[in-house]
Amino acid sequence: MHRGIAVKIVGGRGMGKSVLLQQLEQHLQETQGTRVVRLPGPPEEATVAGAVGDLAARLRIQDLAAPRMDDLLDRVLQGSVARLVALFDETDQYVTLGGGAGGATFARNWFNKLEAIRKQYAPRFSVVFAGGLGLFYLERELGSAIVSRAESFLLEPFGPAEISDLATPFQEDGRPLDENCLEALRVLSGGSPALVTFGLERLWDESAPATQALERIFGVFREQHDSFIRSVHASISQRGRLDAPWRVLEEVRRSAGAVPLQRLREACAAPDESITIDPKQALDLLRAACFVRVDGSTLADPVRAWPVASILNFPETPAAADAPPERLVRDVCAVLANLRRFGRDFHQKDGLLHEEVFSSVLSVGLRLLGWETEREPMQAAGFPDIKVLSSPRTDPPEHTLIEVKLWRGKEYNAGLQQQLDEYRLDDTRHGITVTLGDRGTEGWPEAYEHACLAGRDAARLATPPNLVGRWQVRERASKGSERLTDHLLVQLPKRR
């Protein structure tokens, strides 16, 4: 900006573009010789003259002879004011203003005018744009010179350090968030600034903020804030006009960590779409919306890209019409398949994250799929990880218990079936155990079968996609009824 170069800030919905512009505005106002104006949206009159008039009004210039940018700048850049910086927020709205081709024509004319004026007055006039898909549309489809030549900055998701800093008020209030709670917040939010702050704001009202509270908060998010989710999706795609980013996202999910560039090119090739896009632009849009993380160049082959775990990115509702126990097993497998896709997000320095984090993610995933879940309820012999209302219409309602464990060897995992059996009550219809390992564990499905299922009536069933094993144990309860427990094993990719 000091050199008079235009700057564009690319970010999806909720990534903090407006907040960043407010901070820039405050900082620039304190800079000697600089006047700054922030435009939160397009003018009411969708013409260049209307845009100049709107800018003049925000600069409190009321007697401009004609709505011309050079006349406006000549009025501003005098006396102690040596430089004007214009901050354009919600740039996407300029393209859609008024609907139809009119908004696009106005956007092209207005932003090309800004480029001509910037070059004429550089470095005394600087421009900053903040947006998402609209910036791409301005640059590629409308040929806006100022947008295409601007220095581009991509807003990245919050990492553990930023989230921990934001949680400092809890520590100052004597209610520090433990490591598991912070990790659960990071994973469920995907680092999206809007979701991180949403979770922390809701946690503040909890007397004992913990992962169980986060599960309730995010478990109903889609139901209560569906418009936010739709706006995030709209920031990367326009149905029927630009669906390529979704196809690229599927390729990243299928080949997480090493995505062939040719497959990304094929995903972008769609002759029936009105907007064309290349793999780099698609990945940048997905990164800006907190769907994908890329290490290194987006032009490498293969591209090192991973999907970001968050409630925005999973789960996908499977097409299942089975009886409740089997439908629940399939939905658990659907969430676990996403855990595998996002496996890179579930590692810490010495291995996988704590079991409590995986229980939280599984509980929220099931809530997003419509299941009523409860974390660590009081049962016969303690507190199972998850209790799911699997048959609400029976009398009494029936539940399924889910226990989540990391694979730490035969001694640690051997008593898993017995532990689940001890939790059962009369309303417990079904049981599910989920055991997670990483790629460094060789031959552990066979070791699991020998350690955890020996001496039991256990049948090995077809392995669901993205898992490494499924068994079903049949037992007789004291009253003669049959009890079933499904054992599911999933292997998460290691951090590279």
Short mmCIF file of all heavy atoms in Angstrom, two decimals, residues 270-326:
data_model
loop_
_atom_site.label_atom_id
_atom_site.label_comp_id
_atom_site.label_asym_id
_atom_site.label_seq_id
_atom_site.Cartn_x
_atom_site.Cartn_y
_atom_site.Cartn_z
N ALA A 270 -15.29 -28.45 -17.43
CA ALA A 270 -16.74 -28.61 -17.53
C ALA A 270 -17.25 -27.65 -18.59
O ALA A 270 -17.52 -26.48 -18.30
CB ALA A 270 -17.41 -28.36 -16.18
N PRO A 271 -17.39 -28.11 -19.82
CA PRO A 271 -17.76 -27.19 -20.92
C PRO A 271 -19.14 -26.57 -20.75
O PRO A 271 -19.43 -25.55 -21.37
CB PRO A 271 -17.72 -28.10 -22.15
CG PRO A 271 -17.86 -29.49 -21.62
CD PRO A 271 -17.19 -29.48 -20.28
N ASP A 272 -20.01 -27.16 -19.92
CA ASP A 272 -21.37 -26.62 -19.79
C ASP A 272 -21.46 -25.54 -18.72
O ASP A 272 -22.53 -24.97 -18.52
CB ASP A 272 -22.35 -27.74 -19.46
CG ASP A 272 -21.97 -28.51 -18.20
OD1 ASP A 272 -20.76 -28.56 -17.90
OD2 ASP A 272 -22.87 -29.06 -17.55
N GLU A 273 -20.36 -25.25 -18.00
CA GLU A 273 -20.39 -24.21 -16.98
C GLU A 273 -19.99 -22.87 -17.60
O GLU A 273 -19.09 -22.80 -18.43
CB GLU A 273 -19.46 -24.57 -15.82
CG GLU A 273 -19.97 -25.75 -15.00
CD GLU A 273 -19.07 -26.06 -13.81
OE1 GLU A 273 -18.12 -25.29 -13.57
OE2 GLU A 273 -19.33 -27.06 -13.13
N SER A 274 -20.64 -21.81 -17.14
CA SER A 274 -20.40 -20.50 -17.74
C SER A 274 -19.12 -19.86 -17.22
O SER A 274 -18.62 -18.92 -17.83
CB SER A 274 -21.60 -19.57 -17.45
OG SER A 274 -21.78 -19.43 -16.04
N ILE A 275 -18.59 -20.33 -16.11
CA ILE A 275 -17.36 -19.79 -15.55
C ILE A 275 -16.29 -20.87 -15.60
O ILE A 275 -16.49 -21.98 -15.13
CB ILE A 275 -17.56 -19.34 -14.09
CG1 ILE A 275 -18.67 -18.29 -13.99
CG2 ILE A 275 -16.27 -18.78 -13.51
CD1 ILE A 275 -18.97 -17.85 -12.57
N THR A 276 -15.16 -20.55 -16.21
CA THR A 276 -14.05 -21.49 -16.27
C THR A 276 -13.09 -21.25 -15.12
O THR A 276 -13.01 -20.14 -14.58
CB THR A 276 -13.29 -21.36 -17.60
OG1 THR A 276 -12.80 -20.00 -17.71
CG2 THR A 276 -14.19 -21.68 -18.77
N ILE A 277 -12.37 -22.30 -14.74
CA ILE A 277 -11.50 -22.21 -13.57
C ILE A 277 -10.37 -23.22 -13.75
O ILE A 277 -10.52 -24.23 -14.45
CB ILE A 277 -12.31 -22.52 -12.29
CG1 ILE A 277 -11.55 -22.07 -11.04
CG2 ILE A 277 -12.68 -23.99 -12.20
CD1 ILE A 277 -12.42 -22.15 -9.78
N ASP A 278 -9.20 -22.93 -13.17
CA ASP A 278 -8.10 -23.89 -13.21
C ASP A 278 -7.84 -24.42 -11.81
O ASP A 278 -8.39 -23.90 -10.82
CB ASP A 278 -6.84 -23.25 -13.82
CG ASP A 278 -6.34 -22.04 -13.02
OD1 ASP A 278 -6.40 -22.08 -11.77
OD2 ASP A 278 -5.88 -21.06 -13.63
N PRO A 279 -7.02 -25.49 -11.66
CA PRO A 279 -6.83 -26.10 -10.35
C PRO A 279 -6.32 -25.13 -9.28
O PRO A 279 -6.76 -25.19 -8.13
CB PRO A 279 -5.81 -27.22 -10.63
CG PRO A 279 -6.07 -27.60 -12.05
CD PRO A 279 -6.41 -26.32 -12.74
N LYS A 280 -5.41 -24.24 -9.66
CA LYS A 280 -4.90 -23.29 -8.66
C LYS A 280 -6.01 -22.41 -8.12
O LYS A 280 -6.12 -22.19 -6.90
CB LYS A 280 -3.79 -22.43 -9.26
CG LYS A 280 -3.22 -21.43 -8.25
CD LYS A 280 -2.21 -20.51 -8.88
CE LYS A 280 -1.59 -19.58 -7.83
NZ LYS A 280 -2.60 -18.81 -7.07
N GLN A 281 -6.84 -21.88 -9.00
CA GLN A 281 -7.92 -21.01 -8.56
C GLN A 281 -8.94 -21.78 -7.72
O GLN A 281 -9.44 -21.27 -6.72
CB GLN A 281 -8.59 -20.38 -9.77
CG GLN A 281 -7.69 -19.38 -10.49
CD GLN A 281 -8.21 -19.04 -11.88
OE1 GLN A 281 -8.81 -19.89 -12.54
NE2 GLN A 281 -7.97 -17.81 -12.32
N ALA A 282 -9.24 -23.01 -8.12
CA ALA A 282 -10.18 -23.83 -7.34
C ALA A 282 -9.63 -24.11 -5.94
O ALA A 282 -10.34 -23.98 -4.94
CB ALA A 282 -10.47 -25.14 -8.06
N LEU A 283 -8.35 -24.45 -5.87
CA LEU A 283 -7.74 -24.74 -4.56
C LEU A 283 -7.66 -23.48 -3.71
O LEU A 283 -7.85 -23.53 -2.49
CB LEU A 283 -6.35 -25.35 -4.75
CG LEU A 283 -6.32 -26.79 -5.27
CD1 LEU A 283 -4.90 -27.20 -5.65
CD2 LEU A 283 -6.89 -27.75 -4.23
N ASP A 284 -7.39 -22.33 -4.34
CA ASP A 284 -7.35 -21.08 -3.57
C ASP A 284 -8.72 -20.75 -2.99
O ASP A 284 -8.83 -20.30 -1.84
CB ASP A 284 -6.87 -19.93 -4.46
CG ASP A 284 -5.36 -19.94 -4.67
OD1 ASP A 284 -4.67 -20.68 -3.93
OD2 ASP A 284 -4.88 -19.24 -5.57
N LEU A 285 -9.78 -20.97 -3.77
CA LEU A 285 -11.13 -20.74 -3.26
C LEU A 285 -11.43 -21.67 -2.09
O LEU A 285 -12.01 -21.25 -1.08
CB LEU A 285 -12.15 -20.93 -4.37
CG LEU A 285 -12.29 -19.80 -5.38
CD1 LEU A 285 -13.19 -20.22 -6.54
CD2 LEU A 285 -12.84 -18.55 -4.73
N LEU A 286 -11.03 -22.94 -2.21
CA LEU A 286 -11.28 -23.91 -1.15
C LEU A 286 -10.45 -23.59 0.09
O LEU A 286 -10.92 -23.74 1.23
CB LEU A 286 -10.97 -25.33 -1.64
CG LEU A 286 -11.93 -25.88 -2.71
CD1 LEU A 286 -11.36 -27.15 -3.32
CD2 LEU A 286 -13.31 -26.13 -2.11
N ARG A 287 -9.24 -23.13 -0.10
CA ARG A 287 -8.41 -22.71 1.03
C ARG A 287 -9.02 -21.49 1.73
O ARG A 287 -9.06 -21.41 2.95
CB ARG A 287 -6.99 -22.38 0.56
CG ARG A 287 -6.19 -23.58 0.10
CD ARG A 287 -4.92 -23.14 -0.60
NE ARG A 287 -4.01 -22.44 0.30
CZ ARG A 287 -2.99 -21.69 -0.11
NH1 ARG A 287 -2.77 -21.52 -1.40
NH2 ARG A 287 -2.21 -21.10 0.77
N ALA A 288 -9.51 -20.54 0.92
CA ALA A 288 -10.07 -19.32 1.48
C ALA A 288 -11.33 -19.58 2.28
O ALA A 288 -11.67 -18.82 3.18
CB ALA A 288 -10.37 -18.32 0.35
N ALA A 289 -12.04 -20.67 1.94
CA ALA A 289 -13.27 -21.01 2.65
C ALA A 289 -13.05 -22.03 3.76
O ALA A 289 -14.00 -22.50 4.37
CB ALA A 289 -14.31 -21.55 1.67
N CYS A 290 -11.77 -22.39 4.01
CA CYS A 290 -11.42 -23.29 5.11
C CYS A 290 -11.87 -24.74 4.84
O CYS A 290 -12.20 -25.47 5.77
CB CYS A 290 -12.04 -22.80 6.42
SG CYS A 290 -11.15 -23.27 7.90
N PHE A 291 -11.85 -25.15 3.58
CA PHE A 291 -12.18 -26.53 3.23
C PHE A 291 -10.95 -27.38 2.97
O PHE A 291 -10.99 -28.59 3.15
CB PHE A 291 -13.06 -26.55 1.97
CG PHE A 291 -14.51 -26.28 2.24
CD1 PHE A 291 -15.03 -25.01 2.06
CD2 PHE A 291 -15.35 -27.28 2.67
CE1 PHE A 291 -16.37 -24.74 2.30
CE2 PHE A 291 -16.69 -27.03 2.93
CZ PHE A 291 -17.21 -25.75 2.74
N VAL A 292 -9.86 -26.76 2.51
CA VAL A 292 -8.68 -27.50 2.08
C VAL A 292 -7.43 -26.81 2.60
O VAL A 292 -7.38 -25.58 2.68
CB VAL A 292 -8.64 -27.60 0.53
CG1 VAL A 292 -7.27 -28.05 0.04
CG2 VAL A 292 -9.70 -28.57 0.03
N ARG A 293 -6.43 -27.62 2.96
CA ARG A 293 -5.12 -27.11 3.32
C ARG A 293 -4.11 -27.60 2.29
O ARG A 293 -4.14 -28.75 1.89
CB ARG A 293 -4.73 -27.62 4.71
CG ARG A 293 -3.37 -27.14 5.19
CD ARG A 293 -3.01 -27.72 6.55
NE ARG A 293 -3.91 -27.24 7.59
CZ ARG A 293 -4.85 -27.97 8.16
NH1 ARG A 293 -5.03 -29.22 7.77
NH2 ARG A 293 -5.62 -27.46 9.10
N VAL A 294 -3.23 -26.71 1.84
CA VAL A 294 -2.24 -27.04 0.83
C VAL A 294 -0.85 -26.73 1.38
O VAL A 294 -0.62 -25.66 1.94
CB VAL A 294 -2.47 -26.25 -0.48
CG1 VAL A 294 -1.38 -26.56 -1.50
CG2 VAL A 294 -3.84 -26.57 -1.06
N ASP A 295 0.06 -27.69 1.22
CA ASP A 295 1.46 -27.47 1.55
C ASP A 295 2.25 -27.33 0.26
O ASP A 295 2.16 -28.20 -0.62
CB ASP A 295 2.01 -28.64 2.37
CG ASP A 295 1.51 -28.63 3.81
OD1 ASP A 295 0.86 -27.64 4.19
OD2 ASP A 295 1.76 -29.60 4.53
N GLY A 296 3.00 -26.26 0.13
CA GLY A 296 3.77 -26.05 -1.07
C GLY A 296 2.94 -25.42 -2.18
O GLY A 296 1.91 -24.79 -1.94
N SER A 297 3.36 -25.63 -3.41
CA SER A 297 2.74 -24.98 -4.56
C SER A 297 1.46 -25.70 -4.99
O SER A 297 1.39 -26.94 -4.96
CB SER A 297 3.72 -24.95 -5.73
OG SER A 297 3.09 -24.48 -6.91
N THR A 298 0.46 -24.92 -5.42
CA THR A 298 -0.76 -25.50 -5.98
C THR A 298 -0.53 -25.97 -7.42
O THR A 298 -1.44 -26.55 -8.02
CB THR A 298 -1.91 -24.48 -5.96
OG1 THR A 298 -1.48 -23.28 -6.62
CG2 THR A 298 -2.31 -24.17 -4.53
N LEU A 299 0.66 -25.71 -7.96
CA LEU A 299 0.99 -26.14 -9.32
C LEU A 299 1.90 -27.35 -9.33
O LEU A 299 2.32 -27.82 -10.40
CB LEU A 299 1.66 -24.98 -10.09
CG LEU A 299 0.85 -23.69 -10.19
CD1 LEU A 299 1.65 -22.62 -10.91
CD2 LEU A 299 -0.47 -23.94 -10.91
N ALA A 300 2.21 -27.90 -8.15
CA ALA A 300 3.06 -29.08 -8.07
C ALA A 300 2.30 -30.30 -8.58
O ALA A 300 1.07 -30.29 -8.71
CB ALA A 300 3.51 -29.31 -6.63
N ASP A 301 3.02 -31.36 -8.89
CA ASP A 301 2.38 -32.60 -9.32
C ASP A 301 3.09 -33.78 -8.65
O ASP A 301 4.24 -34.07 -8.98
CB ASP A 301 2.45 -32.73 -10.84
CG ASP A 301 1.57 -33.84 -11.38
OD1 ASP A 301 0.78 -34.40 -10.59
OD2 ASP A 301 1.67 -34.14 -12.58
N PRO A 302 2.43 -34.44 -7.70
CA PRO A 302 1.07 -34.18 -7.23
C PRO A 302 1.03 -32.98 -6.28
O PRO A 302 2.05 -32.59 -5.72
CB PRO A 302 0.69 -35.47 -6.50
CG PRO A 302 2.01 -35.98 -5.98
CD PRO A 302 3.03 -35.63 -7.04
N VAL A 303 -0.19 -32.45 -6.09
CA VAL A 303 -0.38 -31.35 -5.16
C VAL A 303 -0.54 -31.93 -3.76
O VAL A 303 -1.29 -32.88 -3.54
CB VAL A 303 -1.65 -30.54 -5.52
CG1 VAL A 303 -1.87 -29.41 -4.52
CG2 VAL A 303 -1.53 -29.98 -6.93
N ARG A 304 0.18 -31.35 -2.81
CA ARG A 304 0.08 -31.81 -1.42
C ARG A 304 -1.07 -31.08 -0.74
O ARG A 304 -0.91 -29.98 -0.22
CB ARG A 304 1.41 -31.58 -0.68
CG ARG A 304 2.60 -32.31 -1.30
CD ARG A 304 3.83 -32.20 -0.43
NE ARG A 304 3.62 -32.83 0.86
CZ ARG A 304 4.15 -32.40 2.01
NH1 ARG A 304 4.88 -31.29 2.03
NH2 ARG A 304 3.93 -33.05 3.13
N ALA A 305 -2.24 -31.69 -0.79
CA ALA A 305 -3.45 -31.05 -0.29
C ALA A 305 -4.24 -32.03 0.57
O ALA A 305 -4.28 -33.23 0.28
CB ALA A 305 -4.31 -30.56 -1.45
N TRP A 306 -4.86 -31.48 1.62
CA TRP A 306 -5.68 -32.27 2.53
C TRP A 306 -6.99 -31.54 2.80
O TRP A 306 -7.01 -30.31 2.87
CB TRP A 306 -4.97 -32.46 3.89
CG TRP A 306 -3.77 -33.31 3.86
CD1 TRP A 306 -3.67 -34.63 4.18
CD2 TRP A 306 -2.43 -32.90 3.53
NE1 TRP A 306 -2.38 -35.08 4.06
CE2 TRP A 306 -1.59 -34.04 3.66
CE3 TRP A 306 -1.86 -31.70 3.12
CZ2 TRP A 306 -0.23 -33.99 3.40
CZ3 TRP A 306 -0.51 -31.65 2.87
CH2 TRP A 306 0.29 -32.79 3.01
N PRO A 307 -8.09 -32.28 2.99
CA PRO A 307 -9.32 -31.64 3.45
C PRO A 307 -9.18 -31.24 4.91
O PRO A 307 -8.50 -31.91 5.69
CB PRO A 307 -10.39 -32.71 3.26
CG PRO A 307 -9.64 -34.00 3.30
CD PRO A 307 -8.27 -33.72 2.77
N VAL A 308 -9.80 -30.14 5.30
CA VAL A 308 -9.76 -29.66 6.67
C VAL A 308 -10.96 -30.22 7.43
O VAL A 308 -12.10 -30.10 6.99
CB VAL A 308 -9.80 -28.11 6.71
CG1 VAL A 308 -9.88 -27.61 8.15
CG2 VAL A 308 -8.57 -27.54 6.02
N ALA A 309 -10.69 -30.84 8.56
CA ALA A 309 -11.78 -31.37 9.39
C ALA A 309 -12.56 -30.21 10.00
O ALA A 309 -11.99 -29.28 10.55
CB ALA A 309 -11.22 -32.26 10.50
N SER A 310 -13.88 -30.26 9.89
CA SER A 310 -14.74 -29.27 10.54
C SER A 310 -16.18 -29.68 10.33
O SER A 310 -16.48 -30.54 9.49
CB SER A 310 -14.51 -27.86 9.98
OG SER A 310 -15.17 -27.71 8.75
N ILE A 311 -17.10 -29.04 11.04
CA ILE A 311 -18.51 -29.34 10.85
C ILE A 311 -18.99 -28.86 9.49
O ILE A 311 -20.04 -29.30 9.03
CB ILE A 311 -19.37 -28.71 11.97
CG1 ILE A 311 -19.28 -27.19 11.95
CG2 ILE A 311 -18.99 -29.27 13.32
CD1 ILE A 311 -20.26 -26.51 12.88
N LEU A 312 -18.23 -27.97 8.84
CA LEU A 312 -18.60 -27.54 7.49
C LEU A 312 -18.27 -28.59 6.45
O LEU A 312 -18.85 -28.62 5.37
CB LEU A 312 -17.87 -26.24 7.14
CG LEU A 312 -18.12 -25.03 8.03
CD1 LEU A 312 -17.22 -23.88 7.62
CD2 LEU A 312 -19.58 -24.62 7.98
N ASN A 313 -17.32 -29.44 6.76
CA ASN A 313 -16.74 -30.36 5.78
C ASN A 313 -17.19 -31.80 5.95
O ASN A 313 -16.81 -32.65 5.16
CB ASN A 313 -15.21 -30.28 5.87
CG ASN A 313 -14.56 -30.32 4.50
OD1 ASN A 313 -15.22 -30.51 3.49
ND2 ASN A 313 -13.26 -30.14 4.46
N PHE A 314 -17.91 -32.11 7.01
CA PHE A 314 -18.40 -33.47 7.21
C PHE A 314 -19.55 -33.43 8.20
O PHE A 314 -19.74 -32.43 8.90
CB PHE A 314 -17.28 -34.37 7.75
CG PHE A 314 -16.98 -34.19 9.21
CD1 PHE A 314 -17.57 -35.01 10.18
CD2 PHE A 314 -16.14 -33.19 9.65
CE1 PHE A 314 -17.31 -34.82 11.53
CE2 PHE A 314 -15.88 -33.01 11.00
CZ PHE A 314 -16.46 -33.83 11.94
N PRO A 315 -20.33 -34.50 8.35
CA PRO A 315 -20.29 -35.70 7.51
C PRO A 315 -21.23 -35.56 6.33
O PRO A 315 -22.06 -34.66 6.28
CB PRO A 315 -20.78 -36.79 8.46
CG PRO A 315 -21.78 -36.06 9.32
CD PRO A 315 -21.25 -34.65 9.48
N GLU A 316 -21.13 -36.48 5.39
CA GLU A 316 -22.08 -36.55 4.29
C GLU A 316 -23.14 -37.58 4.66
O GLU A 316 -22.82 -38.65 5.13
CB GLU A 316 -21.38 -36.96 3.00
CG GLU A 316 -20.33 -35.94 2.56
CD GLU A 316 -19.14 -36.62 1.95
OE1 GLU A 316 -19.14 -37.85 1.84
OE2 GLU A 316 -18.19 -35.91 1.59
N THR A 317 -24.38 -37.24 4.46
CA THR A 317 -25.45 -38.15 4.85
C THR A 317 -25.47 -39.35 3.91
O THR A 317 -25.69 -39.20 2.72
CB THR A 317 -26.81 -37.44 4.79
OG1 THR A 317 -26.74 -36.27 5.60
CG2 THR A 317 -27.92 -38.35 5.30
N PRO A 318 -25.24 -40.56 4.42
CA PRO A 318 -25.28 -41.74 3.55
C PRO A 318 -26.71 -42.13 3.22
O PRO A 318 -27.64 -41.85 3.98
CB PRO A 318 -24.59 -42.82 4.39
CG PRO A 318 -24.85 -42.41 5.80
CD PRO A 318 -24.91 -40.89 5.81
N ALA A 319 -26.89 -42.79 2.09
CA ALA A 319 -28.22 -43.27 1.70
C ALA A 319 -28.47 -44.61 2.38
O ALA A 319 -28.13 -45.66 1.85
CB ALA A 319 -28.30 -43.39 0.19
N ALA A 320 -29.02 -44.59 3.57
CA ALA A 320 -29.26 -45.81 4.32
C ALA A 320 -30.71 -45.84 4.78
O ALA A 320 -31.23 -44.88 5.31
CB ALA A 320 -28.33 -45.88 5.54
N ALA A 321 -31.36 -46.97 4.56
CA ALA A 321 -32.75 -47.11 4.97
C ALA A 321 -32.93 -48.38 5.78
O ALA A 321 -33.95 -49.05 5.70
CB ALA A 321 -33.65 -47.14 3.74
N ASP A 322 -31.91 -48.74 6.56
CA ASP A 322 -31.94 -49.97 7.33
C ASP A 322 -32.65 -49.73 8.66
O ASP A 322 -33.01 -48.61 9.02
CB ASP A 322 -30.51 -50.46 7.59
CG ASP A 322 -29.75 -50.64 6.29
OD1 ASP A 322 -30.00 -51.63 5.60
OD2 ASP A 322 -28.91 -49.78 5.99
N ALA A 323 -32.79 -50.83 9.42
CA ALA A 323 -33.31 -50.71 10.78
C ALA A 323 -32.34 -49.86 11.59
O ALA A 323 -31.15 -49.77 11.26
CB ALA A 323 -33.47 -52.10 11.39
N PRO A 324 -32.83 -49.22 12.67
CA PRO A 324 -32.00 -48.26 13.41
C PRO A 324 -30.59 -48.74 13.78
O PRO A 324 -29.64 -47.99 13.56
CB PRO A 324 -32.85 -47.97 14.65
CG PRO A 324 -34.25 -48.11 14.17
CD PRO A 324 -34.21 -49.25 13.18
N PRO A 325 -30.37 -49.96 14.33
CA PRO A 325 -28.99 -50.32 14.69
C PRO A 325 -28.05 -50.31 13.49
O PRO A 325 -26.95 -49.76 13.56
CB PRO A 325 -29.14 -51.73 15.29
CG PRO A 325 -30.54 -51.79 15.77
CD PRO A 325 -31.32 -51.00 14.77
N GLU A 326 -28.48 -50.94 12.37
CA GLU A 326 -27.60 -50.99 11.21
C GLU A 326 -27.44 -49.59 10.60
O GLU A 326 -26.36 -49.23 10.13
CB GLU A 326 -28.16 -51.96 10.17
CG GLU A 326 -27.28 -52.12 8.95
CD GLU A 326 -25.90 -52.70 9.25
OE1 GLU A 326 -25.75 -53.36 10.31
OE2 GLU A 326 -24.99 -52.49 8.44
#
